Structures are given as C-alpha cells and as structure tokens.
Amino acid sequence: MAKAKAPVMPETHNPKECTQRLLPVRDALDVLSGKWKIPIIIGLTFGHIRFRELHRKIEGISPKMLSKELKELEEHGLVSRTVYDTLPITVEYELTEHGRTMQPLVEQLYQWGLKHREYVMKGARRKTPRPA
C-alpha cells in the first residue's frame, strides 16, 4: 500500500489562511468530539448493526450514552437508523454514504495511533528512574 502524502502546509504566516484552515477542523472536531463518537463510527464500519450488538462492541459505554451519541451522529447525517416492525421492535444503525466518507480518516487515526503507541512504548523503555 502506498504511503499517503502529508498535506502541504503554508510556509508563511497568514492569519486569514490560518482561520480558513481552523474553521473546518473545528467543525469536524465538534461533530466527532467526546470519548464515544469515533468508537461508534468504528463499530458501524462493518455494516448495519442492532443497538444491543453495538452496545456490546463498545466496552464501557452506557445504553443511555450510546443512544445520545447515535442521535447526534444521526442529526449530522453520519448514521441512519432503521426501525423494523417486529416484536420486540428491532432497531438497526449503519453509516450513511456521508458517514462512510470518514473511513479514510478513521484509518489514518488508526495508523497514527499504532505509530504513536510504538513511539511511546519505545520511549518508556529508554527512560530510567531518577535517583531519589
């Protein structure tokens, strides 16, 4: 797999350009903020899934929090919710087409996280305790 090129950052300090770059990043962070949004999106990348299955996949999240976060992701057009007329009622969630556009971003976060974890672990091994 070919390495992705890093985005070219401007070399000069231009406050207007800085603001233009910050606004979309802030928008993205507002949508994805918090502890649970990315794990939910990762849980949904493998296709449609029932609420309880998703809850089991995401360790540590309460049903109430999962419901709240799914609702917010749905409001942003990243997740769709389908209710089936069964007994008991079945509810499934999946990423929308727009939500699937985040998969490369999530993959990049995954790859960076692996490298960062390795970096931190190597750094932790090299450190020696300070004498008292």
Side-chain angles (χ1 to χ4, degrees):
M1 179 154 99
K3 284 190 174 183
K5 290 184 180 181
V8 177
M9 299 303 284
E11 292 185 25
T12 60
H13 177 70
N14 179 340
K16 185 176 180 182
E17 190 168 345
C18 180
T19 300
Q20 289 172 340
R21 287 183 167 272
L22 282 173
L23 288 175
V25 172
R26 283 186 179 154
D27 290 344
L29 291 175
D30 284 346
V31 172
L32 301 174
S33 67
K35 180 178 179 179
W36 301 112
K37 297 273 183 15
I38 298 289
I40 290 168
I41 289 166
I42 291 170
L44 294 171
T45 57
F46 301 100
H48 60 89
I49 188 170
R50 292 181 182 181
F51 182 89
R52 287 187 189 259
E53 291 175 77
L54 185 58
H55 180 248
R56 281 193 294 270
K57 281 187 174 194
I58 304 172
E59 194 172 306
I61 192 169
S62 69
K64 184 177 179 178
M65 179 59 75
L66 177 57
S67 180
K68 175 189 162 296
E69 298 286 60
L70 283 165
K71 197 171 288 185
E72 288 179 19
L73 289 168
E74 190 177 2
E75 287 169 2
H76 286 286
L78 301 174
V79 170
S80 67
R81 176 179 187 263
T82 305
V83 179
Y84 295 97
D85 189 19
T86 59
L87 285 176
I89 292 176
T90 304
V91 180
E92 288 186 340
Y93 294 88
E94 66 183 319
L95 291 176
T96 62
E97 186 175 330
H98 180 55
R100 286 190 297 276
T101 64
M102 292 182 41
Q103 289 174 320
L105 171 65
V106 172
E107 178 62 24
Q108 286 294 312
L109 284 170
Y110 169 74
Q111 293 298 329
W112 186 86
L114 288 175
K115 290 175 187 169
H116 179 66
R117 178 176 285 270
E118 183 180 322
Y119 172 81
V120 169
M121 296 304 223
K122 282 182 182 177
R125 286 193 296 249
R126 278 188 267 149
K127 291 182 184 177
T128 56
R130 291 184 185 180

